Amino acid sequence: MEAAGTVERGLAVLRALTAEPGRPARATDLVRVTGLARSTVDRVLGTLAHLGYVRIDGRDVRLAPRLMEVGEAYLTGSGLRDALTPVAERLAEELDESVSLAVRDGDGVRFVVQVTRRRTMSVTFRVGDLLPAGRCAAGLALLDPSAPYALDDQLIEPGLIAVAAPVRGPDGRAACALSVVSHTSRHTAAGLRDHCLPALRKAVADMEAALAGRPIASAEMGAVPTGRPPVPAPPDPAAAVVVGDAARVAKRELGMGFLQSLARGLAVLVALGSARGGLTLADCARATGLPRATVRRAVQSLEHLGYAAADGGRFTLLPRVLELGYAHLSGLTFGEIVLPHLSDLVARVRESASVAVLSGDDVVYVARVQTVGIMSVDITVGTRLPAYATSMGRVLLAGQPEERLASIVPRRLSPHTVTSRAELAAAVRRAAADGYALVDQELEEGVRSIAVPIRDRAGRTVAAVNVATHAGRAGAADLVSRVLPALTETAARMEADLAYTVAQRGRPEFSAE
């Protein structure tokens, strides 16, 4: 199977999986949709699973959050999201309406930024969603960028109204469209236009200044020098994500079940988004550790499929990359992301496992998988327990300021509960030093648990995962020797998946307050 053909076939399978991303597919379904041989589909799925882009449970195949790195490559490389989101957030706050940014993608427009106001009747467009250009305000603004604004009076859906204006890049061409979206329960279309047009025009001017590297002059933003983005420099070989060796190792381990050419092609796709303005073939070869000829074949496939384009001597990603599951995956809840990993952990250690976040002085359970047994720990999602007497609470408290811990007054819940503030502080410090906490029958007699933190990209503890059991079934030493390695590995996998969704949504997802 030639390299270019392998990349195209692999992406065909990914597109088939994104047709109904909320439902699991099976290999037989993918054979029917793509027209590929069953052996080819099996090898593609095996490779995608090894890369962490899909999850295979028995015969069911689902998209995995790590696939979001493909869409992130476009969003990062285009620079629009990072440069323009602060202005969009300010506009949404000022108008108390939802705001979005969209770019042209063929005959449609694809959303790249969404700042949604939460209401009973709210906009459900997601980053990555595609709409017909002629039936939404953003599309109309991009189809005729010479017009001062475009109005959508329930074109796309009854009750939905929007006003949009083009945002021009330094070259004078429309780079994207800025939209204010509302509902007829709040405004008429003309009323929305009159309400938001002055602020919309000011935001467009600020966005164009940001793209051109000029100071943003709006009073609300202050005179913020954005700085002209530098001409992309070749990647630093010392900092490059080298995939050549990793692909060769995987090929040796998995044999015919691993398509090295597909893995390399996807690595090239991600690398093209690593610098504003794209990469040359030579830059991409350095960034990936792949031969230049391999990079050229992969880029040619990406161009053919509409995922990349030449811009002078550089190659950039196109918004169509977002069709590869980004909208669905970015909408997954925290619980939906961690639950498959919890299930794997329970199958491995044969004990119940949970994930919790800190809320005041309590932990709140946000995901749980119960083991099957005559005797089990009876806790459900939403349960609140005092943090000081739980293993998850102690690793969460270890990431808090000392004054937060000092404000907790522990009380006796069982004969084993630590009730001294000094002893509690020592236990929390030990959890911070060890990287885990083990609580032995302090919450309730007979309940023993061990927990480790779940951290965000900045290394902050945002949640915790634990394994709980009856004291008669597993001793403290057994939890440390048998369960802790599996628990630590599970936390690392959760962190890897959460890194992509949190990058897109921000940290509030973790809070239970």
Side-chain angles (χ1 to χ4, degrees):
M1 190 183 297
E2 70 280 7
T6 303
V7 173
E8 292 168 355
R9 290 163 184 157
L11 289 169
V13 170
L14 274 178
R15 285 196 302 274
L17 285 168
T18 61
E20 293 185 82
R23 296 177 57 188
R26 294 187 172 183
T28 51
D29 302 325
L30 299 172
V31 168
R32 185 179 65 254
V33 172
T34 63
L36 298 173
R38 174 61 187 265
S39 60
T40 300
V41 169
D42 287 342
R43 294 172 69 192
V44 167
L45 291 178
T47 304
L48 295 175
H50 178 81
L51 296 174
Y53 287 170
V54 303
R55 179 181 176 85
I56 302 176
D57 295 316
R59 291 187 293 172
D60 292 340
V61 183
R62 297 180 186 271
L63 300 177
R66 204 165 304 186
L67 179 61
M68 287 184 69
E69 75 171 354
V70 174
E72 281 292 313
Y74 163 74
L75 292 172
T76 301
S78 73
L80 293 175
R81 180 185 63 182
D82 295 340
L84 306 185
T85 294
V87 183
E89 290 174 340
R90 182 207 71 196
L91 180 63
E93 183 69 25
E94 179 181 349
L95 297 176
D96 193 27
E97 299 289 354
S98 296
V99 169
S100 62
L101 286 166
V103 297
R104 283 292 300 270
D105 186 2
D107 294 332
V109 291
R110 200 174 292 274
F111 291 99
V112 295
V113 172
Q114 282 288 358
V115 184
T116 304
R117 310 304 283 178
R118 295 189 180 277
R119 297 192 178 95
T120 303
M121 185 73 70
S122 61
V123 179
T124 57
F125 298 143
R126 303 162 300 182
V127 171
D129 276 338
L130 182 71
L131 290 181
R135 296 193 59 197
C136 63
L140 294 171
L142 292 173
L143 288 172
D144 184 11
S146 62
Y149 66 88
L151 195 62
D152 171 1
D153 188 359
Q154 307 179 74
L155 292 174
I156 197 70
E157 184 176 307
L160 188 68
I161 54 177
V163 60
V167 178
R168 300 181 186 279
D171 60 2
R173 293 181 296 182
C176 60
L178 173 64
S179 303
V180 178
V181 186
S182 191
H183 193 268
T184 52
S185 60
R186 291 176 56 81
H187 300 278
T188 63
L192 177 65
R193 177 197 60 202
D194 296 341
H195 171 62
C196 74
L197 204 52
L200 178 67
R201 285 171 171 158
K202 183 171 61 177
V204 166
D206 286 342
M207 289 183 173
E208 291 177 345
L211 293 179
R214 301 192 305 269
I216 295 175
S218 294
E220 294 85 347
M221 297 289 288
V224 181
T226 59
R228 182 180 297 277
V231 175
D236 179 2
V241 180
V242 179
V243 300
D245 290 342
R248 284 190 289 272
V249 170
K251 185 67 175 178
R252 284 197 299 269
E253 292 178 353
L254 302 177
M256 292 293 292
F258 182 77
L259 296 173
Q260 186 172 248
S261 298
L262 174 57
R264 289 174 166 180
L266 291 169
V268 168
L269 189 160
V270 173
L272 291 179
S274 63
R276 288 280 299 274
L279 297 178
T280 65
L281 293 178
D283 292 342
C284 193
R286 282 192 291 270
T288 59
L290 297 173
R292 183 167 173 166
T294 300
V295 170
R296 182 186 297 108
R297 287 194 296 271
V299 168
Q300 287 172 345
S301 289
L302 296 174
E303 283 189 285
H304 175 70
L305 295 169
Y307 293 134
D311 184 5
R314 297 180 180 275
F315 294 88
T316 59
L317 294 179
L318 297 177
R320 190 182 181 191
V321 168
L322 293 171
E323 77 176 0
L324 299 174
Y326 194 91
H328 166 70
L329 293 169
S330 66
L332 292 178
T333 66
F334 181 80
E336 287 172 331
I337 293 167
V338 301
L339 195 58
H341 298 292
L342 272 187
S343 297
D344 288 346
L345 177 62
V346 169
R348 185 172 172 182
V349 302
R350 301 188 182 278
E351 301 287 357
S352 299
S354 308
V355 171
V357 296
L358 195 62
S359 177
D361 292 341
D362 296 335
V363 293
V364 177
Y365 284 68
V366 295
R368 180 165 172 80
V369 175
Q370 186 98 351
T371 190
V372 177
I374 297 174
M375 189 166 52
S376 60
V377 180
D378 187 18
I379 293 173
T380 59
V381 170
T383 296
R384 299 177 72 98
L385 295 174
Y388 67 86
T390 66
S391 59
M392 288 191 289
R394 289 191 182 165
V395 296
L396 289 167
L397 290 172
Q400 297 295 309
E402 289 189 11
E403 55 268 23
R404 174 82 176 271
L405 182 60
S407 68
I408 296 175
V409 180
R411 59 187 180 86
R412 188 173 301 281
L413 302 174
S414 83
H416 307 279
T417 308
V418 168
T419 56
S420 160
R421 287 185 175 181
E423 288 181 298
L424 176 60
V428 171
R429 284 195 298 270
R430 186 164 57 250
D434 294 343
Y436 72 93
L438 192 151
V439 170
D440 194 354
Q441 305 182 75
E442 294 189 43
L443 179 70
E444 182 178 321
E445 283 195 272
V447 177
R448 183 174 285 143
S449 68
I450 188 169
V452 298
I454 300 171
R455 296 186 172 94
D456 64 12
R457 281 181 165 181
R460 295 169 295 197
T461 298
V462 293
V465 54
N466 87 336
V467 168
T469 185
H470 191 274
R473 197 159 58 219
D478 183 46
L479 288 181
V480 173
S481 64
R482 181 178 64 88
V483 173
L484 182 58
L487 194 58
T488 302
E489 185 179 321
T490 297
R493 289 177 176 174
M494 290 177 177
E495 289 170 351
D497 279 357
L498 290 166
Y500 300 106
T501 52
V502 175
Q504 198 274 321
R505 282 200 301 264
R507 293 188 74 238
E509 175 78 26
F510 288 113
S511 175
E513 300 184 79

